[in-house]
Amino acid sequence: EDGTLLWNHTITPSWLNEARFSVTRWHWNEVASNPQEPFGLPQDQVDNFGSVSPLQAIGPPGPSIFNQTTYNIRDTSSAVIKAHSIKFGTDIYREQDNDNLAYAARPQYFFNNIWDLANDAPYKEVGNFDPTTGQPTSATKYIRSAIWAFFIQDDWKVKPNLTLNLGLRWEYFEPVHEKYGNISNAVLGNDADPLLGVSLKVGGNLYKPDYGNFAPQFGFAWTPGTSQKF
């Protein structure tokens, strides 16, 4: 699913502005699309299944529910001022990822062999549980991220046979974060032994922001007295 709005506006005979807003969305819900699938049954892993290779899975794979929406705002202006052809504008992306790992609410059991499976004697259980109640729960995340970009470009006709192409672009990649702080990240310790004093940071950004992403541009077109350009 997607939609786009465009607005081209001639401000003056030598100044044109183009504005654009678009939305793109794709999603799925495997619980709703597979109503007959026995997703409520746990999945079993058997290490040794006779002559069959180990780690055999018994039971259907788990479902997921995912929604991704991307918003884009882009505005570009083009102007001609004497010997300068100038273009400048902004480009902004914002992405929303709503991820519901419904299968994480189902416990997964591990058995040494087929006999332990028959006797319902697992040696390990893995699942996603609410730490306050101990009840199985899905791992639902509302991940957010964005990209901000601004640029300016000038094609300067210095002489009839020489044109300079000058430009600068700045981009900011907003750190990935979760809307309600349901995200964690390992923080390493000192430089000598990063694993010594490692801690777990809950919520906030996954990494530190970087505001120094500048990209300069330089080029030229020159005709040295012939029709061939270099």
Side-chain angles (χ1 to χ4, degrees):
E1 303 173 1
D2 60 85
T4 302
L5 294 176
L6 293 173
W7 181 37
N8 295 329
H9 179 52
T10 302
I11 301 174
T12 68
S14 60
W15 186 2
L16 174 66
N17 189 82
E18 178 184 298
R20 172 178 175 173
F21 173 74
S22 63
V23 180
T24 303
R25 185 172 186 265
W26 58 284
H27 58 93
W28 67 74
N29 187 329
E30 294 179 330
V31 176
S33 61
N34 297 279
Q36 304 302 320
E37 190 75 23
F39 287 131
L41 297 177
Q43 192 173 55
D44 300 324
Q45 297 278 357
V46 181
D47 292 354
N48 296 293
F49 212 144
S51 60
V52 184
S53 57
L55 289 178
Q56 298 300 309
I58 302 174
S64 68
I65 303 172
F66 186 77
N67 296 275
Q68 183 187 76
T69 306
T70 303
Y71 302 93
N72 177 225
I73 299 176
R74 181 182 300 175
D75 188 88
T76 304
S77 288
S78 302
V80 178
I81 304 175
K82 295 183 179 180
H84 298 269
S85 295
I86 301 174
K87 180 179 290 187
F88 60 93
T90 182
D91 198 2
I92 302 172
Y93 287 89
R94 179 164 292 277
E95 184 173 311
Q96 299 179 353
D97 297 325
N98 299 338
D99 192 3
N100 185 334
L101 305 180
Y103 60 85
R106 300 188 317 163
Q108 189 176 23
Y109 299 98
F110 291 80
F111 299 87
N112 284 311
N113 50 54
I114 188 64
W115 304 114
D116 286 348
L117 174 65
N119 290 320
D120 193 21
Y123 68 87
K124 183 172 67 173
E125 176 185 355
V126 177
N128 195 62
F129 303 94
D130 187 334
T132 60
T133 64
Q135 296 293 322
T137 180
S138 61
T140 303
K141 298 289 188 295
Y142 298 90
I143 304 298
R144 300 292 184 263
S145 62
I147 301 175
W148 303 73
F150 301 92
F151 71 93
I152 183 169
Q153 180 177 325
D154 182 14
D155 294 333
W156 178 22
K157 196 173 185 64
V158 182
K159 294 182 178 181
N161 67 335
L162 176 62
T163 300
L164 298 181
N165 309 115
L166 310 173
L168 180 65
R169 182 181 179 91
W170 176 79
E171 287 185 318
Y172 170 64
F173 297 89
E174 182 179 291
V176 176
H177 60 280
E178 207 274 337
K179 182 178 180 181
Y180 300 105
N182 296 322
I183 197 170
S184 59
N185 192 26
V187 179
L188 299 178
N190 55 62
D191 295 335
D193 188 354
L195 296 181
L196 184 63
V198 66
S199 61
L200 186 66
K201 176 186 175 183
V202 179
N205 299 327
L206 280 185
Y207 50 86
K208 295 180 180 180
D210 182 5
Y211 300 99
N213 294 310
F214 290 92
Q217 174 185 326
F218 174 76
F220 67 94
W222 175 48
T223 304
T226 67
S227 60
Q228 186 177 4
K229 294 184 178 181
F230 297 87

